[in-house]
Amino acid sequence: MGNRYSAIIGSRYEEETVRLKLRPAWRSYWPVLMTALIAPILSMGSDWSSAGWTSAAVLLILIAIHRYRYAYTVTSHRAIVRRGLIARDTDEVEVRHTREYKVRQGLIERILNYGDVAISSAAGPGSEVVFRGVVAPHDLKEAIRGVRNGG
């Protein structure tokens, strides 16, 4: 990874490689997707049919914008969450310092096989990084644990 400040930090991350890049799963937006499908159906045959199609299109655009605001990356050294399209917020944790992984899934999430993976380090009491709405969260948790263990 090229870094403008590499003279200061040295070559610590020169061998860092990207292992995985993800975004929230489309299926994690199922309530809004169902609303977008139902809106045109409910408005058929009425004076509001164009409003139903317009609202469905707006909902789909909002889902796409929300989904592309989030980027999750696992490298050989770090787990990183980036949020934002124009402005950008970044949370990251060194994989070697991780101590706890939590997977959160409700009933629907288990059926649709998506959920949240929260990663904590030894530095603080809470989760530093949370991958929200990812496919196969238990597999992701084990993959990150494998990176930590040198895999």
Side-chain angles (χ1 to χ4, degrees):
M1 291 184 151
N3 187 319
R4 177 182 309 223
Y5 302 105
S6 60
I8 296 170
I9 63 173
S11 62
R12 182 173 171 203
Y13 289 114
E14 282 185 15
E15 72 281 353
E16 182 174 29
T17 57
V18 174
R19 302 288 180 93
L20 181 66
K21 285 188 167 207
L22 348 140
R23 295 192 182 277
W26 286 105
R27 63 186 90 163
S28 67
Y29 298 98
W30 70 268
V32 182
L33 288 169
M34 293 298 287
T35 304
L37 289 173
I38 291 171
I41 293 170
L42 292 178
S43 64
M44 279 186 183
S46 72
D47 294 338
W48 295 96
S49 64
S50 63
W53 287 105
T54 303
S55 62
V58 168
L59 286 172
L60 293 174
I61 290 168
L62 290 174
I63 289 171
I65 290 170
H66 188 272
R67 182 176 185 267
Y68 284 100
R69 283 185 60 224
Y70 291 89
Y72 308 132
T73 306
V74 178
T75 72
S76 53
H77 296 293
R78 299 176 289 163
I80 306 163
V81 174
R82 290 190 173 98
R83 291 176 305 281
L85 291 174
I86 298 170
R88 180 78 63 176
D89 292 329
T90 303
D91 295 328
E92 65 180 66
V93 64
E94 298 257 352
V95 175
R96 66 185 172 155
H97 295 300
T98 58
R99 67 172 167 80
E100 185 175 89
Y101 306 90
K102 290 183 182 179
V103 174
R104 294 185 193 108
Q105 283 183 303
L107 177 63
I108 299 296
E109 289 89 354
R110 282 191 53 126
I111 292 169
L112 296 176
N113 192 25
Y114 75 91
D116 300 342
V117 177
I119 305 168
S120 302
S121 73
S127 300
E128 280 84 20
V129 173
V130 180
F131 291 7
R132 297 192 188 283
V134 294
V135 174
H138 290 282
D139 294 343
L140 176 61
K141 175 192 72 161
E142 291 304 321
I144 296 169
R145 182 175 283 150
V147 169
R148 182 190 71 188
N149 296 333

